[in-house]
Every structure is written in structure tokens, then in C-alpha cells.
Amino acid sequence: MSFEEVRLTVEESLGKKLEVAFATFETVPIAAASIAQVHGAILHTGEKVVVKVQRPGIVKLIKNDLGVLYTMASLFERYITESRPYNPQAMVDEFFKTLNLETNFIIEANNIRRIAKNFSGDSTIVIPVVYDDYCSDKVLTMERLEGVPLSQFNGQFHEDINRKILVERGLRAFFLMVFKHGLFHGDLHAGNLFILPDHKIGLVDFGVVGRLSNKSRDSIANMLIAMAGEDYESLTYEYLELAPYNGGVNVDQFTKEIRDLFGPYYGMTFKNVNLGKLLLDSTSIAARHSIIMPSELMLFFKSIVTVEAMGRTILEDFDILNYMMDFAQEIFAAKFDTQLLVKDAHQFGRDSLSFVRTLPRQLKQLMRKLNSRDFAFDLHVQELNDVKLSIENSGFVIARGMLASALIIAGTLDLSFNKGPQFYGLPVITLSCYFLAFWIGLFLFQTKR
């Protein structure tokens, strides 16, 4: 977008002239993407910063596009039955939530602060400082990192850069975010990773982040260990644990399909295999079995795809599973730390005490309900409803059948007496009875079908 559009957006958002807010402001953008544009600037206090400016009208454009997607998703679910297990409308809804967060720079600023706090004790990972006085929902001002984006190297690194150190530090940062912090960068591609002096790594663009509960983190670690040990049954049960309960899943068939997906690659290094794609393919198998994966797990699998691509930019023989396994086992071992065990035992004791305290009151309420004169069970059994419907249909068929039979008998009797008006030599009453009986019989035949 033009510099005048940038100026107008910044001044309206910050409520002050551009020259008042910044000592200098570069007119040529450092980077430009679909949602925002980034310009270099210097504050009056001397700090070098970058200013991320949202494109005017982008929110309206996104909402219009999402409206089209909602319509398409609705048509898919209505007319293409194969799409229903994937829940297209829920996918669009999740996409909408993500974009809503990504277009609010106040939320992104908060994400940056939280992740910076998580890495406050790690000097090898640099998260830019956010300048709150120069931020709004459409403008984000943060520290300018003095480094080079990984995307600019294109595999050509200086001799003084140790590629292995870069990979290990970058992956360790990602796995710490996933397994320890539970808040991870959801779009960690090469353009969002900066190589700084002394092999330090800088991370930018926190518009998309994933949040993992303790249960999700444990399940992901268990998945990796199950994959490494070719324990596909445990892997499928981890999927079932994470997804909403579904008693109709054929676990044996699900396990077989997961085994068929991962089995051919067992024993191979993953330097030539896209592990992230395999994980995403496994969620497609889960969808076919009506197992709905939580959005944070899908974002983690997507992140693995981008992290793999980033790793292969640095190391040709990059094998992400080895790094993941080492870190997953490290996190797993840390869970048996004495302090954590004491903390878990304390939490268990509090929950148990709360349960014991409330149990008498709950039992008392239950007994009052059972002894109530108005107490009744509201029981719904699908098979009984089917039986009821079958009996009602049978009664309908018998009654109509008896009516048709009565009409045939009446018509035959009238034919025997042969009295009254005739039509082509046949009594009109007889013809009428036979005609009505025919249509009743035809109606019963169609109803039975």
C-alpha cells in the first residue's frame, strides 16, 4: 500500500502525527504481506523499531471471503456426503477465529510479551520488545532485530555459521514452546526466523499461536514415542483420548489404516520423508472414522510441516523425528521430578477432599429425588421407538386392507343382484367399489415400499 495510506492508518490509530510519534519513519516497506505491511522507524528515545501496519479494509475483505467459504462449506455438507466427516463448516469457523485474532495487533502484542517471558532465561532465543505506547489494534511497534531472515540464505551459509547449532537451538525453542510452555508459534517458517550474531535466533510474527493443555502435551509426547516404537494401537488410542467421545469407532480398522500409513516408513530416517504431511494424513483417516481432532493439534501438525521445511533449508539430512524423540523423552522424564510429583499429589488430595465434602450433599439430593412422588425416569430407547412406529404402520395397513376387501365384497354383491344404473353393462356401484379398492391397494403398496 502507498505511504500515504500507511501514514493515515498510523496517525488515526495512535492519535498523533507520524512525526510526533517517530523521529524517522522509512517510506519504503521492509516487508509486505496480505494482512499488513512492515516499515522501519526510530523512536525519539533512539530505539530502532519496526512498525507493522494493517492494510485498510482488510477485515471487511476477510469477512466477505469467509462468507463465501461458509456458503461453500454448507453446500458441501448438504450435497457431498463424503465431506461430512471433515466438518467443513467447523473448519471455516476455526479459520474465522484464527483470522480474527491475527488481525488484532493488541492480541499479537500480548502473545509476544508472554512468549518473551517464557524465554526470559534463555539468551540464545531473542523475542522483540513491544512498545505499548505505539501499539493499537491496527499498528504494532516492536524492537528491530539486527539479523538476517533465514529465507534470505537459500541454503548458502557463511563458513562461520554452524548449521547444526542453529538447528538444535531453533528446534529446542519450538519444542520448549510445545511441551513445556504450552504456547507455541503457529507459523514458524523461514521468513519469521532471524539468524543473529553468536548463533542467536530471533522469532517474529506471533499473529498465529497455538495453545496446548497439559493433556494435549502429554498426548503429543505419547504419540511420538508410539510412532518411534511402531506401537500403532497406542497411537490410535491417543487420537481417541484427544477427540470428543465417540463410541461408534471401529478401533481395529482405525489402527489398521494408521499402520498402513506409517508402517512403510518404519526403520527409515525421516530426512526424505515429510513427517508433518504424514501426521496431517493421519487426521484425514481419523475424520473418515468420525474422530474430530482438536484445532490445536491440527495447528501443531501444520507447524511440523513448516519446521521441517525450515530445518531442511539448513541441513540436507535433517531428521525431525530424532530431535522430537529426544526432547519428548526429556520432557517425559521431567514429569517424574520430585517437586512435580508433590504438586500433583497435592492437587489430587485437594480434588479428593472436595469430592468427599460434597458427596453427602449430593447423595442427600439424590435420595430426595428418588423419594419424590413426582419422580420418573425419562427413558428414550431408539429400538422401542422403531417398534412403536412399526406397530402403528401395521395397524394402518390392516385397516386400509380391510376397507379395500369390504369394497370388493360390496361390489361383487351388487354385481350379483345386478340392480341400479349401469355403465357399459356393469353396475355403476360395482365399478365405483372396484375403483376405490384399486386405489387403496395401490396406496398401500407404495406405503409398504
Side-chain angles (χ1 to χ4, degrees), residues 6-25:
V6 172
R7 172 189 286 273
L8 184 62
T9 301
V10 172
E11 290 181 349
E12 286 183 350
S13 297
L14 300 184
K16 60 183 75 173
K17 290 290 185 180
L18 195 68
E19 292 76 14
V20 175
F22 302 97
T24 63
F25 196 99

Side-chain angles (χ1 to χ4, degrees), residues 376-445:
F377 281 109
D378 188 11
L379 185 63
H380 295 277
V381 180
Q382 182 61 41
E383 287 74 9
L384 290 181
N385 291 332
D386 293 341
V387 171
K388 177 184 176 183
L389 184 63
S390 177
I391 292 173
E392 289 176 350
N393 288 338
S394 298
F396 174 82
V397 171
I398 291 171
R400 299 309 188 272
M402 292 177 65
L403 178 59
S405 301
L407 286 169
I408 293 172
I409 293 171
T412 304
L413 289 174
D414 184 70
L415 180 63
S416 300
F417 289 106
N418 197 17
K419 295 179 180 180
Q422 294 189 351
F423 183 75
Y424 285 100
L426 291 173
V428 173
I429 294 178
T430 298
L431 288 174
S432 299
C433 290
Y434 285 170
F435 180 77
L436 289 172
F438 168 77
W439 280 108
I440 290 173
L442 183 63
F443 176 71
L444 286 177
F445 174 73

Side-chain angles (χ1 to χ4, degrees), residues 116-382:
K117 183 179 179 181
N118 291 338
F119 283 103
S120 58
D122 190 340
S123 61
T124 64
I125 304 299
V126 179
I127 310 296
V129 176
V130 175
Y131 296 91
D132 293 327
D133 293 338
Y134 305 91
C135 293
S136 71
D137 59 336
K138 295 180 180 178
V139 175
L140 175 61
T141 303
M142 54 190 164
E143 174 189 5
R144 185 168 186 169
L145 299 183
E146 300 295 339
V148 182
L150 180 62
S151 57
Q152 292 186 11
F153 282 90
N154 296 320
Q156 302 298 319
F157 291 88
H158 302 299
E159 292 181 0
D160 57 342
I161 293 180
N162 189 317
R163 301 187 182 200
K164 189 174 181 181
I165 291 177
L166 287 179
V167 168
E168 289 177 350
R169 287 182 175 179
L171 284 178
R172 183 168 184 82
F174 176 69
F175 293 142
L176 277 171
M177 287 188 282
V178 171
F179 292 109
K180 186 176 181 181
H181 306 152
L183 181 70
F184 66 93
H185 197 302
D187 194 20
L188 199 59
H189 57 74
N192 290 335
L193 188 146
F194 281 68
I195 298 177
L196 308 178
D198 299 326
H199 293 89
K200 294 182 180 181
I201 293 176
L203 304 179
V204 299
D205 194 358
F206 293 88
V208 179
V209 297
R211 293 173 174 81
L212 296 170
S213 63
N214 288 329
K215 178 182 177 182
S216 297
R217 285 179 253 171
D218 288 345
S219 291
I220 290 173
N222 290 334
M223 283 179 178
L224 299 177
I225 293 171
M227 285 171 55
E230 206 176 12
D231 186 0
Y232 300 115
E233 186 174 358
S234 295
L235 181 59
T236 55
Y237 275 104
E238 289 300 331
Y239 278 111
L240 295 174
E241 281 290 321
L242 283 173
Y245 176 75
N246 184 353
V249 177
N250 186 335
V251 178
D252 292 336
Q253 181 62 29
F254 181 36
T255 303
K256 178 184 179 301
E257 292 181 28
I258 291 292
R259 183 185 297 110
D260 291 342
L261 175 66
F262 287 100
Y265 302 100
Y266 184 74
M268 296 172 56
T269 61
F270 275 76
K271 63 181 181 181
N272 297 317
V273 180
N274 193 327
L275 176 62
K277 184 180 183 301
L278 285 177
L279 290 170
L280 287 174
D281 289 344
S282 71
T283 64
S284 296
I285 294 174
R288 290 201 297 271
H289 289 270
S290 300
I291 302 171
I292 302 173
M293 291 291 99
S295 58
E296 62 268 19
L297 186 68
M298 298 293 290
L299 184 59
F300 169 73
F301 288 169
K302 173 185 170 293
S303 297
I304 292 296
V305 174
T306 54
V307 167
E308 277 188 298
M310 179 187 66
R312 290 191 176 111
T313 302
I314 304 173
L315 289 178
E316 293 182 359
D317 60 346
F318 177 69
D319 186 350
I320 191 171
L321 187 60
N322 281 335
Y323 291 98
M324 290 174 73
M325 277 301 304
D326 290 342
F327 202 83
Q329 289 175 348
E330 181 182 330
I331 293 296
F332 229 66
K335 287 185 176 297
F336 294 94
D337 180 76
T338 305
Q339 290 184 346
L340 287 177
L341 289 175
V342 170
K343 182 179 177 181
D344 289 343
H346 181 65
Q347 181 65 43
F348 175 77
R350 286 171 54 192
D351 291 342
S352 299
L353 182 60
S354 175
F355 172 75
V356 171
R357 282 177 175 172
T358 58
L359 182 60
R361 280 178 286 183
Q362 297 291 337
L363 288 174
K364 183 179 179 181
Q365 290 297 320
L366 177 61
M367 293 305 298
R368 289 184 63 188
K369 185 175 181 179
L370 291 173
N371 290 324
S372 173
R373 298 174 64 181
D374 299 326
F375 175 74
F377 281 109
D378 188 11
L379 185 63
H380 295 277
V381 180
Q382 182 61 41

